[in-house]
């Protein structure tokens, strides 16, 4: 009886919450119509374009406030001058910096994605921003893409699941998320003009699903149209992308915002479905959606209905993000804790011959490498942050081992200055000694050390992990490979910590004691890293993209595919001729991967039992379950992954595709049964000729594993 009452009251609460949300929506729609009816043409035009670097006007006469945006996605960017990109030098905008989105993706934790969004959204609300420019969900098509670190990996299902939760978290603060960059912005080389040629099946199966999920499940209130072209039209003018797919097929009722400077003409932006224009060069009144737009409305060349649709969307965004007395929070201890936790859960242990975790009674620890002291919250371009504190890896290790002698040697020098005017570093990171001397010093220091930890990788300068350009090479820069070979020859137990937001070549991995993939971790970098090195946190991250042995092993074989080339008219063309075979979908067929998608080790071990399906034949839904046991001696978490293989298909299909995952926490010896319920969508491919998703009857396999290359159990079923 009590149970029945409990269920009934829960149902009532949910129903009430649903009614309240519907009421609120109806209220906003009513208000939008009332305000729209009172607006003059000038007032309508004013809300559709920028009035400063990051804001658009409201309607002061009707009490409608300005709309303020800010980057995104890893923290709230310091305020810029009204009219200049430079930091305005405020003293109240040093934020909490969160780990990069690749790190969040590597956590494979939906709840954590919500917590990340909620936490950064609280900071955005506090700073009075209506729109936070993120998350980025462009698929990692090449390890060289300069912006991989701002995105969520190579798989559309993983990226979509986490993006949707991040969006919900941000928006729980009445701050709009702005999902970017829509769409096909998968490289920085020629990002402003490159034209992507991609077939529909690939577009729908690989490059759109994360956006769709962020819009439909996440309920995103805004989306950012990309710089690049698709099918001969700039993404900001692209009627197919914005009007047909986003607003038509997906029913998006929010605002489509241009990337900063992504609009190139008035007709294109107006007719293509774009709503708000930012970042165009020149005077604000000359923006394409400003006076030139007004002139075409007055002359009748462009329709007023189209204009009103844009204004409705701009107003809706404004009303949805009204603070209503709520002021968020900034730099709270909870935010610091969130940042540290996300870092600890996203770090991936790639190799461990037993050297990790470090023993608590270590006497001497030698820390090597520039990235042990290099500030990394600044850099990377628009996602660069000014943070209240940034714990370096060196500091984190010192704090975690207060009894040990911790010796630092630079070992290599990138020669790259730390970008940004607000360099927050406890260390002077310039270096004048020659390379040979740095290495000699390190070789001498490691001899009697209990542990040697090399913190290297990429950094956030141009041509590293940075917006605007792609990386020049898949190899680690600054001579690191040769240096690590030399060090590993005397210290084969060396722990290599790779700081990067992209896959890199790790040819020395077998020659060192451990390899830790540590991303960019934000304010709490050193603490999150030390948590994992010391074993205070048992690593549970899994790779959100494949690390191929070399680029030659990957799917992009020709210049046409990457980086593209100019056609006879001078237009930069990129052909996605690998189709749906991106990331593990390619390596599953051709091999060549060093660390596979979904891979990551723990300090404990997990045993998978036998996978079972709830039925032999699937009608609309099917549940696959599998017991998982922690067989080691410490508590830990495992990301159990469900892949589906279509055994009898009329079209080419990948060997398998990720369709479910769960992160499961287990005490030593504990067993839990993990269940995944899938629908027909998990079995479908996109049939471009019919323009619909098709699940063909026949035999399928559910593959359950610890990575894309480590399937532990499988079960067959049929679709009728
Ligand atoms: C970037 C966006 C960013 C915007 C505003 C653009 O250059 O591509 O991701 O949100 O600038 O800073």
């Amino acid at each position: 009886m009590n149970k029945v009452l409990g269920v009934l009251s829960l149902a009532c609460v949910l129903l009430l919450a649903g009614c309240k949300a519907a009421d609120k929506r109806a209220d906003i729609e009513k208000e939008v119509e009332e305000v729209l009816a009172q607006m003059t043409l000038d007032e309508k035009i004013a809300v559709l374009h920028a009035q400063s670097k990051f804001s658009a006007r409201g309607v002061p006469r009707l009490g409608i406030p300005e709309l303020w945006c800010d980057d995104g996605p890893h923290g709230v960017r310091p305020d810029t001058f009204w009219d200049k990109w430079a930091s305005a030098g405020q003293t109240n905008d040093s934020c909490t910096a969160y780990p990069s989105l690749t790190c969040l993706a590597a956590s494979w934790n939906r709840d954590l994605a919500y917590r990340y969004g909620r936490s950064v959204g609280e900071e955005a609300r506090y700073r009075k921003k209506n729109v936070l420019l993120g998350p980025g969900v462009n698929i990692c098509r090449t390890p060289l893409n300069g912006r991989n670190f701002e995105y969520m990996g190579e798989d559309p299902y993983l990226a979509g699941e986490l993006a949707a939760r991040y969006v919900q978290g941000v928006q729980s603060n009445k701050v709009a998320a702005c999902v970017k960059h829509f769409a096909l912005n998968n490289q920085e080389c020629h990002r402003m003009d490159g034209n992507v040629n991609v077939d529909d099946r690939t577009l729908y199966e690989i490059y759109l699903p994360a956006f769709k999920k962020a819009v439909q499940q996440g309920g995103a209130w805004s989306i950012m149209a990309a710089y690049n072209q698709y099918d001969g039209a700039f993404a900001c003018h692209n009627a197919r992308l914005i009007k047909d797919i986003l607003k038509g097929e997906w029913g998006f009722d929010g605002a489509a915002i241009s990337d900063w400077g992504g609009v190139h003409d008035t007709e294109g932006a107006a007719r293509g479905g774009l709503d708000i224009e930012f970042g165009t060069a020149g005077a604000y009144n000359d923006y394409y959606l400003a006076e030139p737009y007004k002139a075409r409305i007055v002359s009748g060349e462009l329709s007023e209905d189209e204009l009103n649709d844009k204004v409705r969307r701009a107003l809706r965004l404004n009303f949805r993000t009204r603070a209503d007395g709520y002021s968020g929070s900034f730099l709270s201890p909870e935010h610091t804790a969130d940042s540290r936790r996300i870092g600890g859960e996203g770090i991936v242990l790639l190799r461990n011959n037993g050297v990790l975790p470090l023993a608590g009674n270590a006497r001497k620890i030698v820390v090597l490498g520039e990235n042990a002291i290099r500030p990394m919250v600044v850099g990377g371009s628009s996602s660069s942050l000014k943070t209240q504190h940034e714990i370096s890896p060196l500091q984190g290790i010192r704090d975690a081992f207060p009894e040990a002698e911790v010796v630092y040697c630079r070992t290599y020098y990138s020669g790259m200055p730390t970008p940004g005017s607000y360099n927050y570093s406890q260390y002077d990171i310039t270096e004048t000694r020659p390379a040979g001397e740095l290495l000699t010093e390190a070789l001498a220091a490691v001899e009697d050390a209990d542990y040697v930890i090399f913190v290297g990788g990429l950094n956030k300068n141009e041509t590293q992990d940075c917006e605007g350009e792609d990386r020049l090479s898949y190899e680690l820069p600054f001579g690191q490979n040769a240096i690590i070979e030399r060090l590993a020859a005397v210290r084969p137990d060396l722990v290599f910590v790779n700081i990067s937001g992209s896959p890199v070549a790790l040819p020395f991995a077998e020659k060192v004691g451990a390899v830790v993939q540590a991303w960019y971790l934000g304010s709490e970098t050193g603490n999150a890293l030390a948590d994992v090195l010391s074993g205070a946190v048992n690593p549970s991250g899994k790779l959100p993209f494949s690390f191929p042995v070399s680029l030659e092993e990957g799917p992009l074989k020709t210049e046409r595919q990457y980086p593209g080339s100019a056609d006879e008219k001078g237009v930069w063309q990129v052909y996605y001729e690998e189709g749906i075979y991106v990331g593990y979908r390619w390596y599953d067929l051709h091999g060549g991967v060093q660390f596979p998608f979904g891979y990551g080790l723990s300090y404990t071990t997990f045993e998978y039992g036998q996978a079972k399906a709830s039925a032999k034949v699937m009608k609309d839904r099917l549940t696959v379950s599998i017991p998982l046991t922690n067989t080691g001696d410490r508590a830990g978490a495992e990301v159990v992954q469900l892949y589906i293989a279509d055994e009898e298909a009329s079209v080419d299909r990948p060997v398998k595709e990720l369709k479910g995952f769960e992160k499961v926490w287990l005490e030593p010896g504990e067993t839990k049964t993990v269940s995944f319920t899938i629908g027909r969508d998990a079995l479908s491919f996109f049939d471009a000729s019919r323009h619909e998703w098709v699940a063909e009857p026949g035999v399928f396999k559910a593959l359950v594993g610890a990575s894309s290359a480590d399937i532990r159990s499988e079960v067959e079923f049929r679709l009728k």
Side-chain angles (χ1 to χ4, degrees), residues 427-439:
Y427 306 97
D428 176 8
I429 70 154
T430 56
E431 180 59 63
T432 50
R433 292 170 293 166
E437 198 179 317
L438 299 183
L439 182 56

Side-chain angles (χ1 to χ4, degrees), residues 384-588:
S384 180
L385 296 171
K386 171 171 147 193
T387 183
Q388 180 223 35
H389 71 272
E390 178 176 1
I391 310 286
S392 68
L394 177 59
Q395 188 62 47
I397 292 167
R398 285 208 163 117
D399 292 348
F401 295 91
E403 308 295 324
E405 179 196 0
V406 178
V407 175
Y408 175 68
C409 303
R410 182 64 169 256
T411 322
Y412 76 91
Y413 176 45
S414 73
M416 293 182 143
T418 307
S421 53
Y422 24 78
N423 177 356
Y424 185 93
S425 173
Q426 309 157 60
Y427 306 97
D428 176 8
I429 70 154
T430 56
E431 180 59 63
T432 50
R433 292 170 293 166
E437 198 179 317
L438 299 183
L439 182 56
T440 308
E441 180 191 54
L443 284 166
V446 301
E447 266 173 21
D448 65 338
D450 292 337
Y451 294 110
V452 181
I453 304 168
F454 186 108
V455 187
L458 307 179
N459 62 42
K460 285 165 85 183
N461 282 59
E462 281 159 16
T463 71
Q464 301 284 309
D465 280 318
C466 183
E467 176 183 345
E469 274 177 89
D470 286 344
R471 281 162 61 203
L472 304 174
S473 153
Y474 182 54
E475 307 301 315
L476 286 179
F478 323 126
Q480 289 177 82
N481 287 352
I483 292 170
I484 293 159
E485 296 270 350
R486 286 286 302 278
L487 288 161
V490 290
R491 292 303 302 245
D493 61 340
L494 176 139
V495 176
F496 178 72
V497 177
N498 184 55
I499 308 269
S500 78
S502 300
V504 297
L506 298 168
F508 48 77
E510 295 293 312
K511 296 182 186 159
V512 297
V515 179
V516 176
Q517 175 60 37
W519 321 112
Y520 301 102
L521 301 176
S523 297
E524 288 288 295
T525 295
N527 289 337
L529 179 61
D531 284 345
V532 168
L533 296 178
S534 69
V537 166
N538 190 350
S540 62
K542 301 262 188 172
L543 292 180
F545 36 53
S546 316
F547 279 49
V549 173
S550 73
L551 279 191
E552 285 65 48
E553 311 286 346
L556 308 187
K557 302 286 187 203
T558 66
E559 191 187 80
R560 281 167 64 82
Q561 287 173 289
Y562 180 83
S565 54
D567 66 13
E568 59 290 348
K569 291 193 189 121
V571 179
W572 194 263
Q573 301 287 355
V574 186
Y575 293 89
Y576 286 25
E577 281 163 344
E578 70 286 358
I580 56 176
Y581 296 99
V582 174
Y584 67 90
R585 288 166 171 79
W586 171 270
Y587 299 110
D588 270 358

Side-chain angles (χ1 to χ4, degrees), residues 54 71 77 85 133 147 150 180-181 185 191 224 227 259-260 382 467:
F54 282 101
D71 287 300
R77 178 177 175 156
W85 285 111
L133 303 175
R147 293 190 91 170
E150 289 184 71
K180 66 193 191 181
H181 307 88
N185 181 188
R191 70 165 173 160
M224 185 188 293
Y227 284 134
D259 199 342
W260 269 235
S382 66
E467 176 183 345

